[in-house]
Amino acid sequence: MALFLLCKTPTDFFNGRKVAISLKPAPPVHHALRVEEGQILKDMTVIKAAEPQTPGETAWGAPLVWGDSQKSAFQRDKFSEQGVSIGLLILVVGTYARFVRPFLSSAEIHFLPNQMVTYYVFTDNPRTLDPSIELGPLRQMKVLPVSELPGWEGLAYRRMVLFAEAIRDSIGKEVQYIFYADVDQEFVGPVGEEILGDLVATLHPEVFGMPRNMFPYEDQEVSAACVEEDEGDYYYTSEFYGGSVSQMSRLARDCSLLILQDQANRVTARGLEESYLNRYLIDHRPTCVLSPEYNWWDSPLTARVPKKRLVSFGRQCEAFDKEKKERQNC
Ligand SMILES: CC(=O)N[C@H]1[C@@H](OP(=O)(O)OP(=O)(O)OC[C@H]2O[C@@H](n3ccc(=O)[nH]c3=O)[C@H](O)[C@@H]2O)O[C@H](CO)[C@H](O)[C@@H]1O
Ligand SMILES: [Mn+2]
């Protein structure tokens, strides 16, 4: 069954939206692949089961990081001697305010606990952070007010621009490394210095282990995010990525240009920001690839991992059926 088509032949792969001017939440990958809830395509299960579980390196020689590997332990030792400063960017707008406290509390415990971390909270409502959250001695928080981002549509178009400007104007002068994380997640296991690198991207847990022709890259040729059939090594998640200041500055700037180009042409990539990020990461291969331990949720397609470290509750909810969504207050 051909589940993926070329840029030249736009299809209804993602809900029949050739040109989606009004934005709709991106469908979970198992929906995009037409897998019914709880029912996995038999051949796909075989393909996924046959994949090596914890490869240590990418085809281009970048480390593929599993937190409990020896290489990761070595990397942690190396950095623990020198000390680094890291900025963690989160966006908290509208109803997503409900996620910020659990997110930050979990980051205090698990996210680079022995390093200098500054949380940069982009929010339309700084009061969300009252009363202030108690932070560890090496940690601080900076609130960056954002305005006029009505709904997801405004956010999706403006988010990368916001980051690019903030990195250029302030953040870039204050820290050595910058990570972005979706706020609808929680750290549930240690995330240490093994994640540090120049350009760091995380493998999408539902796509990891699938053959290349199943990757849900953008396929509309009119989109700046379009990926040709012979391109692409991995499909990355948009929920967690990072790198050095210069690399993150370039990533945010270039992705925002791709997004603005599509906006001008009244086109939207079907996977929204994830599509633009994947396009960028094909043109600029990551120097460090994080395994799905660093972006995990439970769904029929999710790869099994030795340890869960960062779990997406937002995407977890999307993977539930209607009844479970109600039970879990999604
Ligand atoms: C908005 C959107 O398309 N979400 C869909 C997208 O999740 P995603 O995980 O790609 O997006 P998301 O809903 O988590 O939004 C990304 C991030 O933007 C911020 N944010 C977003 C919206 C908002 O009203 N306020 C706010 O602060 C927040 O930090 C959030 O974590 O793909 C999922 C499947 O894989 C589901 O289909 C989600 O419904
Ligand atoms: Mn999310």
Side-chain angles (χ1 to χ4, degrees), residues 84-90 104 107-108 111-113 115-121 129 132-144 171 173-175:
V84 284
S85 57
I86 302 111
L88 182 59
L89 274 50
I90 53 171
L104 289 171
E108 278 295 281
F111 183 72
L112 290 149
Q115 298 292 355
M116 277 180 287
V117 171
T118 306
Y119 301 107
Y120 292 97
V121 184
L129 299 156
S132 57
I133 293 159
E134 205 177 310
L135 301 177
L138 293 174
R139 332 273 284 190
Q140 59 174 328
M141 185 182 316
K142 297 199 173 176
V143 178
L144 297 104
I171 301 172
K173 297 170 196 129
E174 296 170 0
V175 293

Side-chain angles (χ1 to χ4, degrees), residues 60-128:
W60 62 97
L64 204 166
V65 178
W66 304 85
D68 286 338
S69 72
Q70 268 191 342
K71 250 203 249 171
S72 291
F74 178 76
Q75 174 98 339
R76 283 192 290 272
D77 283 351
K78 198 179 94 187
F79 276 104
S80 63
E81 284 158 25
Q82 67 193 58
V84 284
S85 57
I86 302 111
L88 182 59
L89 274 50
I90 53 171
L91 187 61
V92 185
V93 172
T95 58
Y96 280 61
R98 69 190 189 279
F99 293 116
V100 72
R101 283 173 182 275
F103 175 89
L104 289 171
S105 305
S106 72
E108 278 295 281
I109 299 166
H110 295 298
F111 183 72
L112 290 149
N114 303 316
Q115 298 292 355
M116 277 180 287
V117 171
T118 306
Y119 301 107
Y120 292 97
V121 184
F122 295 74
T123 183
D124 61 341
N125 182 9
R127 280 204 194 150
T128 303

Side-chain angles (χ1 to χ4, degrees), residues 3 9 24 34 39-41 49 62 76 86 109 115 140 153 180 182 190 208 216 241 252 262 285 291 319:
L3 288 172
T9 53
K24 184 175 172 288
R34 303 203 182 99
Q39 184 203 337
I40 308 173
L41 291 179
R76 283 192 290 272
I86 302 111
I109 299 166
Q115 298 292 355
Q140 59 174 328
E153 187 161 343
Y180 165 79
D182 266 17
F208 176 63
Y241 54 89
D262 269 9
R285 277 175 161 159
S291 69

Side-chain angles (χ1 to χ4, degrees), residues 96 99 152 159 180-185 237-239 295 297 312-316:
Y96 280 61
F99 293 116
W152 174 243
R159 190 158 76 146
Y180 165 79
D182 266 17
V183 76
D184 57 342
Q185 306 189 91
T237 178
S238 58
E239 294 206 295
N295 182 226
W297 65 91
S312 174
F313 289 101
R315 293 194 181 191
Q316 179 67 79

